[in-house]
Amino acid sequence: MPKVDDLTLEKELREIIAKIVELEPEKITLEANFVEDLGMDSMMALEILAAMEKKYKIQVPEEKLGQLRSLNDTIKLTKEYL
Amino acid sequence: MMDTEEIKSLIPQRVPFLMLDRVVEIKPGELIRAYKNVSINEDYFRGHFPDTAIFPGALIAEAMAQAACILLKKSILDLKATLFYVTGVKVRFFKPVIPGDQLYIIIKTIKMTHIGGIFETEAAVDGKTVAKGEMTFACK
């Protein structure tokens, strides 16, 4: 997988998250809390994890699921495995 | 191969809501193939529909979910969960399933964890796809 630049990564992950939580991408700010601000539950987080893995052909252990709390966290976690 | 008794030892659903008769193949972590023989004797055909018996699409989705639960249990051996909750279903139905059909369910893993899983699901009759989709469920 070629390296993805930061802006592209942010845009792509925002779109993935928006699709799963069924919100407009603009609502997914870098800091918006998945649970408190976006109404996400643990299974939606799992869907995001699976979508990240598929998109970037990476494997993220399930222990990392709890780290998905915002778009910022999602970007950080994805970069760890790219 | 797995018969109904073994199926019952793995999932909590019981008659009249057991939607699998047999599991024919399991590759832990990867896939499961199972089937249900659809019989006119099943009670819901009295109402679905009175003049034309069609196996409800919702029950095809249920059969998919049950097969996915078995796959999850056979893949994550230390899974303590006894209850499963469907949290997301995206299934398209292509062709009606009727009494006499043998409904084949094929489930492939997208992601599996101790809190639940995401699966690619397919149902087929006589080798032709009758429904296809994706399913997410949580376990407790």
Side-chain angles (χ1 to χ4, degrees):
Chain A
M1 181 83 202
K3 287 277 179 197
V4 190
D5 69 78
D6 287 3
L7 270 179
T8 308
L9 188 64
E10 181 182 327
K11 182 174 174 283
E12 289 176 347
L13 286 171
R14 178 175 280 119
E15 281 165 8
I16 285 173
I17 295 163
K19 202 172 161 195
I20 290 168
V21 293
E22 296 180 21
L23 287 172
E24 294 301 317
E26 305 81 71
K27 297 253 168 80
I28 322 293
T29 61
L30 283 167
E31 300 298 334
N33 184 283
F34 283 170
V35 178
E36 286 158 27
D37 303 320
L38 306 179
M40 199 184 285
D41 61 26
S42 59
M43 295 314 289
M44 288 179 182
L46 183 60
E47 286 182 32
I48 289 170
L49 196 72
M52 279 160 58
E53 291 187 339
K54 190 177 172 191
K55 173 93 184 163
Y56 302 107
K57 299 183 175 47
I58 55 175
Q59 286 243 303
V60 183
E62 74 169 278
E63 299 78 54
K64 300 280 182 178
L65 202 54
Q67 292 183 17
L68 288 185
R69 289 172 305 247
S70 65
L71 173 57
N72 240 345
D73 293 340
T74 311
I75 294 168
K76 259 188 234 160
L77 190 62
T78 306
K79 282 167 109 175
E80 262 183 55
Y81 290 88
L82 275 177
Chain B
M1 203 202 63
M2 195 184 283
D3 62 13
T4 45
E5 289 311 311
E6 200 175 346
I7 291 171
K8 279 158 68 182
S9 72
L10 292 166
I11 56 173
Q13 289 88 344
R14 292 293 179 265
V15 171
F17 219 67
L18 202 51
M19 290 297 146
L20 298 173
D21 292 326
R22 194 154 290 177
V23 173
V24 287
E25 186 187 5
I26 292 193
K27 283 188 188 162
E30 275 183 59
L31 67 87
I32 182 168
R33 290 177 210 275
Y35 67 78
K36 170 175 175 53
N37 292 316
V38 178
S39 164
I40 189 66
N41 284 313
E42 288 161 27
D43 201 42
Y44 39 74
F45 285 127
R46 288 198 294 149
H48 200 278
F49 298 94
D51 297 324
T52 312
I54 292 175
F55 187 67
L59 296 185
I60 297 178
E62 177 62 26
M64 290 168 165
Q66 292 183 10
C69 290
I70 294 171
L71 178 58
L72 188 65
K73 281 210 139 176
K74 283 287 189 184
S75 303
I76 302 182
L77 298 174
D78 62 346
L79 190 72
K80 302 272 190 300
T82 49
L83 282 176
F84 301 89
Y85 304 89
V86 173
T87 58
V89 180
K90 276 181 273 176
V91 180
R92 280 194 180 277
F93 300 93
F94 303 110
K95 197 175 173 288
V97 174
I98 57 171
D101 283 345
Q102 192 168 59
L103 183 70
Y104 255 87
I105 304 291
I106 306 113
I107 308 292
K108 292 178 182 162
T109 305
I110 295 174
K111 181 81 183 166
M112 246 185 220
T113 70
H114 286 77
I115 64 156
I118 306 171
F119 301 91
E120 199 182 288
T121 64
E122 187 185 345
V125 172
D126 292 332
K128 291 198 179 86
T129 304
V130 295
K132 202 171 182 175
E134 197 179 298
M135 201 168 265
T136 304
F137 62 86
C139 47
K140 234 184 198 177

